[in-house]
């Protein structure tokens, strides 16, 4: 991959808005105009700097940014004039509504030194925390959504609490693509460290304190309490265990690769180095926040270079690599697993929206992303990287990456469900002392081990997966219920504590299971075969597809009824047999039809050959 000579990822209009427009007015602005003696924000003096279009009274973002520029500079200088103790005394109370007071105190520390990477980090953390806090206020009003920052700032509900003019001030800085849009340009990796003025970070810190003051007044007037939602906690971290644990040597190699790899844009090198430094210092959330936007930049660079469309480097459209890029399948599967799939950790989504406690962010997650990044740095380089790829630390990482299979795509989740259900169906057989068909179980396991493409899944595939997963879930429930009932009744039988009616019911249950168990296994075979051939559904004509989908939904209905009939409360074993006979007829009918189609296709092929 050749290197594009890029000095900025900001388009010309956006670069002008962020880097120049707010500096055009050089008049000094007195901080006392917007800050009272007792430390309260004078909102009217701030909101008067927001300008509006005469045509429809919507915000004129260009004029507003230009007018607010000196105000931001004044706030920045004010913060720099304070000691940490003075800042805490004057402002700490007003950050409590965010439930992240320490984070805002850290941002104040950053502003004293204005290290560019840390300013950007502070802004990313501040905006995600602010979004979550505003979402909590929205819930306070009895609303369920929205929780996206741009929607929150445009909502009439929050305007009731803070005032529409205050919301418009915030939208100038964050929440609108026509304003500075600081949150998005950073989280999507468009801004390099030197392109984000520290004074905008200072202004958002100041505005957050002002919001806290307004909210306190609202809470007192309405006699209500702000409740903070619990953070998302990562569970089943072992499922995220792809790469081995990184040592100091591996991180040192990564630092060398950053300067050599064509996956890294030169203006972004400080962000990469800051991510690795944060990892070494056990600042795992900071490491990942630095790293995620850079992975996005690298992928945009890879996409634009491969497809020869350099202008697309400046847009935030979702990028997909060519289907022919087989050697990069692992890259996309890993990223979709960690960032996008609903049942995955969705790290970027949850971090950028403030859903994760930064102080307890797990090392395991940071380790996986840094290791993955090392494989990308090594794979995409202009130099002869053979020595790096064969290094005893890097080679295991490359091997892990090359054989990665999706773990959180619906296909992968269905595979896991089917294997679990297979094991449970065998347990049922063992309990009632029928021959254990381990060959059957091993066959299905081997089928599930078949690699199935999880990328570019069209709608029919996803629809089928939804139904199959629901069937699997119901089979799982049936197995659990039958096992529990059988074990309980067996113990009661041996202890002679069953009444006459219960004994008869237990015998009916045993007879039903002898019939039910192989039928459940048949459904598991059906599901497994459909899973392995899931992409063939796209070759069906619409009529055949709808007919087969209807059949699968009837199987789902059967398993749902089975859950009800086999529950301890119902124990309808005779009805279970009746249901099972009906579904067997449907399965046989669809199987016969499939067989006829196969025979017809083969006979047609012979006719053509003759």
């Amino acid at each position: 991959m050749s290197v594009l000579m890029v000095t900025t990822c900001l388009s010309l209009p956006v670069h002008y808005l962020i880097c120049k427009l707010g500096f055009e007015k050089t008049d000094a602005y007195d901080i006392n105009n917007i800050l009272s003696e007792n430390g309260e924000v004078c909102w009217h003096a701030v909101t008067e700097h927001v300008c509006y279009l005469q045509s429809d009274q919507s915000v004129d973002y260009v004029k507003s940014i230009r007018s607010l520029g000196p105000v931001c500079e004044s706030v920045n200088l004010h913060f720099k004039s304070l000691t940490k103790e003075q800042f805490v005394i004057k402002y700490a109370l007003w950050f409590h509504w965010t439930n992240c007071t320490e984070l805002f105190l850290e941002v104040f520390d950053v502003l004293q030194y204005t290290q560019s990477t840390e300013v950007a980090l502070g802004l990313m953390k501040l905006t995600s925390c602010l979004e979550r806090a505003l979402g909590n206020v929205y819930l306070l009003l009895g609303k369920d959504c929205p929780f996206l920052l741009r929607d929150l700032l445009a909502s009439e509900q929050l305007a009731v609490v803070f005032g529409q003019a205050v919301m418009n001030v915030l939208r100038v800085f964050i929440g609108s693509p026509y304003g500075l849009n600081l949150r998005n340009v950073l989280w999507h990796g468009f801004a390099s460290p030197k392109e984000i003025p520290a004074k905008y970070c200072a202004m958002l810190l100041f505005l957050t304190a002002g919001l806290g003051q307004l909210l306190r007044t609202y809470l007192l007037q309405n006699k209500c309490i702000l409740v903070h939602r619990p953070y998302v906690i990562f569970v089943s971290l072992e499922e995220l265990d792809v790469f081995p644990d990184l040592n100091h040597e591996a991180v040192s190699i990564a630092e060398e690769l950053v300067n050599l790899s064509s996956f890294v844009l030169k203006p972004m090198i400080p962000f990469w180095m800051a991510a690795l430094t944060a990892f070494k210092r056990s600042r795992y959330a900071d490491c990942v926040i630095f790293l995620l936007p850079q992975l996005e930049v690298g992928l945009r660079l890879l996409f634009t270079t491969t497809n020869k469309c350099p202008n697309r480097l400046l847009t935030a459209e979702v990028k997909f690599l060519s289907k022919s890029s087989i050697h990069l399948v692992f890259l996309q599967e890993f990223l979709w697993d960690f960032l996008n799939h609903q049942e995955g950790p969705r790290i970027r989504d949850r971090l950028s929206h403030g859903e994760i406690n930064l102080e307890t962010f797990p090392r395991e997650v940071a380790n996986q992303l840094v290791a993955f990044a090392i494989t990308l740095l090594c794979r995409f380089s202009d130099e002869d990287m053979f020595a790096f790829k064969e290094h005893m630390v890097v080679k295991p990482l490359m091997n892990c990456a090359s054989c990665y299979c999706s773990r959180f795509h619906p296909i992968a989740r269905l595979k896991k469900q089917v294997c679990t259900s297979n094991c449970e169906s065998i347990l049922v057989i063992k309990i009632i002392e029928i021959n254990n068909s381990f060959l059957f179980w091993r066959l299905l396991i081997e089928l599930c081990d078949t690699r199935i493409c999880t990328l570019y899944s069209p709608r029919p595939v996803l629809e089928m997966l939804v139904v199959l997963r629901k069937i699997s879930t119901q089979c799982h429930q049936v197995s659990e219920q039958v096992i529990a009932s059988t074990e309980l009744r067996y113990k009661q039988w041996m202890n002679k504590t069953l009444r006459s009616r219960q004994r008869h019911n237990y015998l009916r249950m045993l007879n039903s299971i002898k019939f039910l168990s192989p039928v459940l296994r048949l459904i598991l075979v059906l599901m497994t075969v459909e899973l392995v051939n899931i992409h063939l559904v796209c070759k069906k004509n619409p009529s055949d597809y709808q007919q087969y989908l209807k059949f699968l939904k009837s199987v789902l209905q059967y398993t749902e009824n089975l859950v009800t009939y086999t529950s301890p409360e119902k124990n309808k074993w005779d009805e279970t047999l009746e249901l099972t006979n009906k579904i067997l007829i449907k399965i046989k009918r669809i199987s016969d039809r499939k067989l006829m189609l196969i025979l017809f296709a083969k006979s047609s092929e012979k006719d053509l050959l003759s």
Side-chain angles (χ1 to χ4, degrees):
M1 185 174 78
S2 61
V3 181
L4 289 173
M5 296 304 294
V6 177
T7 57
T8 181
C9 288
L10 299 175
S11 65
L12 285 175
V14 174
H15 187 274
Y16 169 67
L17 285 177
I18 295 175
C19 302
K20 296 181 179 180
L21 182 59
F23 296 85
E24 289 182 351
K25 291 183 68 174
T26 57
D27 301 339
Y29 190 85
D30 188 353
I31 190 66
N32 295 315
N33 290 339
I34 58 169
L35 189 64
S36 68
E37 291 182 2
N38 60 358
E40 291 191 358
V41 176
C42 302
W43 277 103
H44 175 72
V46 177
T47 59
E48 70 179 5
H49 288 276
V50 178
C51 306
Y52 298 89
L53 298 171
Q54 292 183 353
S55 57
D56 58 1
Q57 288 302 296
S58 59
V59 175
D60 186 327
Y61 288 99
V62 171
K63 288 184 179 179
S64 299
I65 294 169
R66 184 183 289 118
S67 181
L68 282 164
V71 180
C72 297
E73 187 61 40
S74 177
V75 169
N76 192 28
L77 292 173
H78 166 64
F79 283 153
K80 286 187 174 183
S81 71
L82 300 177
T83 65
K84 181 65 173 286
E85 291 73 23
Q86 289 172 326
F87 180 78
V88 170
I89 292 170
K90 201 168 188 177
Y91 292 99
L93 173 65
W94 307 119
F95 297 124
H96 288 179
W97 74 283
T98 68
N99 203 30
C100 298
T101 301
E102 287 301 319
L103 185 153
F104 289 90
L105 299 183
E106 288 174 13
V107 173
F108 170 80
D109 292 334
V110 166
L111 291 172
Q112 308 312 301
Y113 306 104
T114 61
Q115 184 179 349
S116 57
T117 55
E118 294 297 319
V119 169
L121 175 68
L123 259 174
M124 285 192 280
K125 291 162 74 171
L126 187 158
T127 53
S128 65
C129 178
L130 182 58
E131 178 176 338
R132 183 168 182 80
L134 289 171
N136 289 334
V137 177
Y138 200 86
L139 279 177
L140 177 71
L141 303 174
K143 307 298 179 181
D144 292 331
C145 61
F147 289 122
L148 292 179
L149 187 57
R150 64 174 181 271
D151 296 328
L152 286 167
L153 296 181
S155 69
E156 295 179 1
Q157 288 78 11
L158 286 186
V160 171
V161 179
F162 300 110
Q164 185 58 60
V166 172
M167 292 290 100
N168 288 339
V169 172
L170 291 172
R171 292 175 68 197
V172 171
F173 294 94
I174 50 178
S176 172
Y178 303 106
L180 292 169
N181 204 16
L182 296 171
R183 177 200 179 278
N184 285 348
V185 296
L186 279 167
W187 275 103
H188 288 291
F190 289 107
S192 66
K194 295 180 180 180
E195 290 176 317
I196 299 296
K199 70 178 184 180
Y200 292 145
C201 183
M203 188 63 177
L204 278 172
L205 188 64
F206 182 75
L207 295 177
T208 304
L211 291 174
Q213 294 164 0
L214 292 175
L215 179 62
R216 182 174 180 271
T217 301
Y218 178 87
L219 296 176
L220 289 173
Q221 289 175 348
N222 292 273
K223 297 179 181 179
C224 51
I225 299 173
L226 181 65
V227 177
H228 301 286
R229 286 168 287 159
Y231 289 111
V232 170
I233 299 175
F234 290 114
V235 295
S236 303
L237 285 175
E238 66 278 359
E239 288 196 82
L240 308 179
D241 188 14
V242 180
F243 299 98
D245 193 52
L246 299 175
N247 55 26
H248 182 78
E249 184 180 8
V251 180
S252 298
I253 291 174
E255 290 173 334
E256 291 186 57
L257 287 169
V258 165
N259 292 293
L260 298 173
S261 178
S262 55
F263 189 76
V264 179
L265 286 175
K266 299 309 176 186
M268 303 298 184
I269 287 178
F271 279 140
W272 281 89
M273 302 305 287
L276 297 173
T277 299
F279 185 81
K280 289 190 291 187
R281 294 178 179 174
S282 301
R283 293 165 48 201
Y284 300 119
D286 291 354
C287 166
V288 173
I289 292 171
F290 274 129
L291 192 55
L292 286 173
Q294 297 318 306
L295 291 176
E296 185 171 340
V297 176
L299 290 173
R300 281 201 298 268
L301 178 60
L302 176 60
F303 176 89
T304 55
T305 304
T306 302
N307 294 280
K308 298 180 180 179
C309 50
N311 290 337
R312 298 280 292 277
L313 187 62
L314 309 182
T315 63
E317 302 165 33
V318 176
K319 302 296 188 295
F320 291 99
L321 301 179
S322 169
K323 291 186 181 182
S324 62
S325 304
I326 302 300
H327 66 293
L328 297 179
V329 165
F330 86 91
L331 181 158
Q332 298 183 75
E333 288 190 333
F334 181 93
L335 287 174
W336 275 93
D337 265 5
F338 273 66
L339 307 184
N340 290 71
H341 290 317
Q342 286 300 304
E343 294 175 68
R346 289 167 45 212
I347 297 166
R348 181 186 177 281
D349 177 34
R350 286 168 169 164
L351 268 177
S352 64
H353 296 300
E355 295 182 15
I356 299 173
N357 187 339
L358 302 181
E359 295 179 1
T360 60
F361 192 89
R363 173 190 165 87
E364 293 90 337
V365 176
N367 184 87
Q368 296 304 311
L369 282 172
V370 173
F372 173 71
I374 291 173
T375 66
L376 293 180
L377 293 173
C378 198
R379 186 178 291 273
F380 302 107
S381 57
D382 296 324
E383 307 292 334
D384 181 7
M385 304 297 288
F386 181 79
F388 280 105
K389 292 177 182 178
E390 294 298 312
H391 192 282
M392 60 181 297
V393 172
V394 175
K395 191 171 183 179
L397 304 182
M398 302 295 287
N399 291 338
C400 289
S402 63
C403 62
Y404 183 80
C405 293
S406 176
R407 301 180 181 193
F408 296 104
H409 188 279
I411 287 175
R413 306 314 282 176
L414 179 56
K415 277 186 177 184
K416 186 175 181 180
Q417 281 182 288
V418 168
C419 289
T420 303
S421 297
N422 286 339
C423 296
E424 288 172 349
S425 70
I426 298 300
L427 285 172
V428 174
I429 299 167
K430 185 175 181 181
I431 288 170
I432 61 175
E433 297 181 352
I434 295 179
N435 292 330
N436 293 325
S437 181
F438 285 107
L439 289 176
F440 159 81
W441 177 68
R442 288 183 61 185
L443 173 63
L444 290 188
I445 294 296
E446 288 179 10
L447 279 173
C448 285
D449 283 341
T450 304
R451 183 159 190 140
I452 306 170
C453 178
T454 59
L455 300 176
Y456 317 108
S457 297
R459 183 176 178 179
V461 169
L462 296 176
E463 284 181 340
M464 291 274 286
L465 285 170
V466 169
V467 178
L468 290 173
R469 292 191 67 186
K470 287 181 179 178
I471 294 172
S472 177
T473 299
Q474 300 304 312
C475 288
H476 177 92
Q477 182 69 20
V478 170
S479 295
E480 282 190 338
Q481 289 180 177
V482 171
I483 290 170
S485 296
T486 307
E487 288 179 338
L488 176 62
R489 293 305 185 201
Y490 177 74
K491 289 178 183 177
Q492 291 174 331
W493 178 281
M494 296 303 292
N495 294 331
K496 299 181 179 180
T497 57
L498 289 174
R499 296 189 298 273
S500 175
R501 185 177 177 181
Q502 289 175 322
R503 288 197 299 272
H504 286 297
N505 196 44
Y506 176 48
L507 292 174
R508 283 202 306 274
M509 178 172 66
L510 292 179
N511 286 327
S512 298
I513 292 176
K514 290 178 183 179
F515 186 53
L516 179 61
S517 183
V519 174
L520 282 177
R521 284 190 289 161
L522 175 62
I523 291 174
L524 289 172
V525 171
L526 173 68
M527 287 169 49
T528 308
V529 171
E530 289 303 321
L531 171 60
V532 172
N533 298 291
I534 191 71
H535 288 286
L536 294 181
V537 71
C538 299
K539 297 183 179 180
K540 292 179 181 289
N541 63 53
S543 176
D544 287 344
Y545 167 71
Q546 290 300 328
Q547 188 174 357
Y548 193 65
L549 187 61
K550 184 178 179 181
F551 161 70
L552 286 181
K553 288 182 178 178
S554 69
V555 175
L556 173 59
Q557 183 67 56
Y558 163 73
T559 56
E560 289 173 342
N561 290 334
L562 214 55
V563 169
T564 301
Y565 286 173
T566 60
S567 65
E569 297 80 19
K570 296 293 183 180
N571 275 318
K572 292 188 175 182
W573 298 104
D574 292 339
E575 290 84 350
T576 295
L577 291 178
E578 184 179 344
L579 275 177
T580 303
N581 276 317
K582 289 180 179 178
I583 198 65
L584 281 174
I585 292 171
K586 286 188 178 182
I587 292 174
K588 185 177 186 302
R589 189 181 300 141
I590 201 79
S591 299
D592 288 346
R593 185 171 181 273
K594 276 192 169 186
L595 181 60
M596 287 180 64
L597 288 173
I598 293 171
L599 292 174
F600 176 77
K602 287 187 176 180
S603 63
S604 299
E605 185 180 354
K606 286 181 181 179
D607 291 341
L608 287 172
L609 291 173
S610 61

